[in-house]
Amino acid sequence: MKEMRTFKKNEELQGTVVDLTSQGAGVVKIDDFPFFVEGVIPGEEIIFNITKAGKKFGYGRLQKILVESPDRVEITDAIGRQIGTMTLQHMSYPAQLNYKQSVVKQAFQRIGHFVDADVKPTLGMENPWEYRNKAQIPVRSVRGQLETGFFRRNSHDLVPVENFYIQHAEIDQAIITIRDILREEGVRPYDERTNRGVVRHIVVKRGHYTGEMMILLVINQKRLEKQEYIVEKVKAVLPNVVSIVQNINTKQTNVILGPENKILWGKDYIEDKMLDMTFRISPNSFYQVNTPQAEVLYQTAIDAAGLTGEETVLDAYCGIGTLSLSLAKHAKHVYAMEIVAEAIEMAEQNAKLNALDNVIFEAGKAEEWLPRWNDLGVQFDVVVVDPPRKGLDEHFVTAVINQEPEKIVYVSCNPATCARDCQLFSEAGYKLQFVQPVDLFGQTPHVEVVALLTK
């Protein structure tokens, strides 16, 4: 039996990158022992130092590239790698799209056991920069001064950042402006070690088509110090701001938003457009962070559903109704549910705003509402799901199978759980027709998918 080689921390090694993980790290095998190294591309010959070596795999830090991949491009911002916001920026955008298609293929083969899954080329964006319409930026003290930025990877050490490159430039400018106002007013930044200080996060939401902006100041107490002065200064220098909200979060937690919002000025929502409809977006409601690509994603789902106007459709995990109302324009009836009550209120407002009356929205768990509708005899021709990263609840899957819809359209931000759930439907007699990756997150390893299953 061959004796396993022993590796030591800081040891320098040379090897060839053979693959990338689902998180974008390169895989280098030394005597069949895999090391994960960030910032590399398959085919590259590299020198790296071991940062950690376990029993089955290790981690390394890139030191030098001996042979470069033709897909390598000059990075835009080294800080983006430190904080983990742009871990694929060293790859050309076409290479990123190919990588994401490969990640989806591997997930459906390895986890879903779909050997010959039709995973289509990734649908990319015109410009994979400045696409984010939302920012959640921590506020901390760095060298005695209030700073905004992002945490260094695997730590809670704040790295000051002024340009995130993947957020809209107006959002970056708004964060810097508010940072400077907070400094001028002497507002104390939050200290998570002591749970003291005032401002924890600055959250900015911006309508891609309308330009309207909402500012949420997440604070560690009931009232924001000097809030009148702060509000007036924000209004004076950021004319596109239509809503300023104080969110209260006094718990010692990593959760960003607390349960209570207080409108300091303006509306309690912003408006934006999607697929020729208008949507109101509240402080706590979910809205896809890349509006143009969300339109591509949702149109792909609508096309997969193949609606004629005569179908009854279920939309599970509906949020503020962006996909539900888009489906409703092509269906006879849509039933939709979402666990966040505030989102359902906003969805009902959005239905009225767009003059659509063929949608029923209910607040509650998908796995609880679908059996109720089953018991009431509602028959769905098409079931559309867009669950969180953890995927579908097993009781919900059972309820869908009992419904026997002709089509299931699965929209997912996690190819792994999507593949797992599609296998459950496959075992119940559904055929996976295709999987369409859609890139909403350029420069990162994240990818959305639309999968179509038919009975």
Side-chain angles (χ1 to χ4, degrees), residues 117-118 120 431-435 451-455:
D118 179 14
K120 299 185 180 299
K431 182 179 180 181
L432 179 68
Q433 297 293 342
F434 66 81
V435 185
L452 172 64
L453 300 113
T454 58
K455 191 162 183 62

Side-chain angles (χ1 to χ4, degrees), residues 198-455:
V198 180
V199 181
R200 302 170 66 124
H201 281 79
I202 298 169
V203 179
V204 181
K205 295 186 174 187
R206 179 185 181 275
H208 175 83
Y209 292 108
T210 64
E212 291 188 353
M213 283 200 289
M214 172 185 286
I215 307 297
L216 285 90
L217 299 174
V218 184
I219 69 170
N220 190 40
Q221 56 193 36
K222 291 293 183 182
R223 178 178 167 80
L224 176 63
E225 301 163 2
K226 302 182 180 180
Q227 71 178 37
E228 292 84 2
Y229 298 102
I230 292 170
V231 167
E232 289 306 313
K233 286 186 175 182
V234 171
K235 288 166 55 180
V237 294
L238 296 174
N240 289 338
V241 172
V242 298
S243 175
I244 302 176
V245 181
Q246 170 187 307
N247 177 269
I248 300 168
N249 185 357
T250 58
K251 292 185 177 180
Q252 199 160 5
T253 174
N254 291 332
V255 176
I256 294 175
L257 295 181
E260 184 180 350
N261 290 317
K262 178 183 177 183
I263 308 301
L264 300 182
W265 175 80
K267 304 184 293 185
D268 61 353
Y269 61 88
I270 61 169
E271 288 188 354
D272 198 19
K273 303 282 186 179
M274 187 178 289
L275 293 176
D276 297 322
M277 289 187 290
T278 300
F279 292 94
R280 290 181 177 177
I281 307 155
S282 63
N284 292 81
S285 58
F286 172 79
Y287 189 69
Q288 292 280 8
V289 300
N290 185 335
T291 308
Q293 283 300 98
E295 292 179 303
V296 173
L297 180 75
Y298 291 160
Q299 189 61 57
T300 300
I302 294 166
D303 292 345
L307 302 175
T308 66
E310 298 301 318
E311 294 85 359
T312 300
V313 179
L314 171 68
D315 179 25
Y317 312 90
C318 67
I320 61 172
T322 44
L323 183 51
S324 311
L325 298 178
S326 301
L327 291 164
K329 292 174 69 175
H330 304 277
K332 184 177 181 180
H333 293 293
V334 175
Y335 290 72
M337 81 281 270
E338 164 65 49
I339 195 169
V340 180
E342 179 187 315
I344 289 297
E345 292 175 11
M346 195 63 57
E348 290 173 339
Q349 288 185 39
N350 289 330
K352 293 178 181 177
L353 201 61
N354 292 283
L356 290 166
D357 58 5
N358 60 334
V359 188
I360 295 173
F361 289 106
E362 297 288 357
K365 295 181 179 179
E367 59 267 25
E368 293 177 357
W369 267 107
L370 181 53
R372 292 183 200 175
W373 285 327
N374 286 356
D375 292 342
L376 290 172
V378 179
Q379 179 59 47
F380 295 108
D381 302 295
V382 178
V383 168
V384 179
V385 298
D386 186 4
R389 290 190 63 81
K390 66 180 181 180
L392 299 175
D393 178 88
E394 60 181 292
H395 299 295
F396 177 80
V397 171
T398 300
V400 171
I401 291 170
N402 290 339
Q403 259 280 337
E404 297 186 333
E406 287 299 313
K407 295 178 182 177
I408 300 169
V409 179
Y410 197 133
V411 182
S412 174
C413 60
N414 187 344
T417 53
C418 180
R420 178 201 67 196
D421 295 340
C422 284
Q423 177 59 24
L424 296 176
F425 290 122
S426 175
E427 291 171 356
Y430 284 86
K431 182 179 180 181
L432 179 68
Q433 297 293 342
F434 66 81
V435 185
Q436 176 63 70
V438 183
D439 185 31
L440 273 70
F441 310 99
Q443 320 310 324
T444 83
H446 303 295
V447 62
E448 298 261 342
V449 298
V450 176
L452 172 64
L453 300 113
T454 58
K455 191 162 183 62

